[in-house]
Amino acid sequence: MHTVTKETVRVMQIITIGGHVASEEVIWIGDDLDELDRQYPPSEISGADPLGQTEIDDGHIVTKHRFEEFEDGRWLEIEDPRLEDDGPMTNREAAIDAENRRRYPGDYLVEEARCRGCDRYISDCGGC
């Protein structure tokens, strides 16, 4: 369990339209970072992190999040305090990952094998 004992953390959601801030609001505030992890679980899978940046209309509308900690009477920006989850993918993450791989297969190419004779990629080798 990881908690902030004397400081308060908040998550701000910022929506920009055409590069201009359209709205900025607090979507979570508290001291219990385990609760933050449960409510907004971090993920390395593109599109699976509920606090990850999203873009609509080629980036014309952008939603992003900022983490802040209350210190010395003011809110200061901090790094994402959520813990990395080293466990297996959740069903939701697996479904998003499968859809990402279906829609964007070029982003998931496996590195090409190298030739044992010349150490170049097989496609560049020429058959030594």
Side-chain angles (χ1 to χ4, degrees):
M1 181 165 126
H2 64 290
T3 59
V4 176
T5 56
K6 62 181 183 172
E7 304 296 338
T8 300
V9 174
R10 72 180 182 183
V11 180
M12 302 295 296
Q13 178 174 276
I14 302 99
I15 298 174
T16 58
I17 299 175
H20 303 284
V21 175
S23 72
E24 188 168 329
E25 68 175 304
V26 177
I27 63 165
W28 187 89
I29 189 166
D31 291 332
D32 185 351
L33 296 181
D34 290 323
E35 178 188 331
L36 176 61
D37 285 350
R38 284 188 303 274
Q39 195 168 352
Y40 298 100
S43 178
E44 294 294 319
I45 305 298
S46 180
D49 187 338
L51 298 180
Q53 180 170 310
T54 60
E55 298 181 9
I56 301 172
D57 197 18
D58 290 330
H60 182 70
I61 301 171
V62 178
T63 302
K64 59 185 177 179
H65 299 87
R66 182 176 66 234
F67 300 89
E68 298 177 337
E69 185 172 33
F70 194 71
E71 188 175 308
D72 296 328
R74 59 188 189 156
W75 290 102
L76 302 173
E77 187 170 353
I78 60 172
E79 293 292 317
D80 184 345
R82 298 175 297 161
L83 290 177
E84 297 286 328
D85 183 11
D86 294 334
M89 265 195 250
T90 64
N91 290 339
R92 180 178 181 273
E93 286 176 312
I96 291 171
D97 184 61
E99 180 65 9
N100 287 343
R101 290 172 185 276
R102 185 189 69 75
R103 292 178 71 190
Y104 313 107
D107 291 351
Y108 298 92
L109 293 177
V110 176
E111 184 174 319
E112 185 180 355
R114 291 186 175 271
C115 173
R116 291 183 188 179
C118 63
D119 198 40
R120 285 185 267 178
Y121 290 114
I122 297 293
S123 60
D124 294 333
C125 174
C128 66

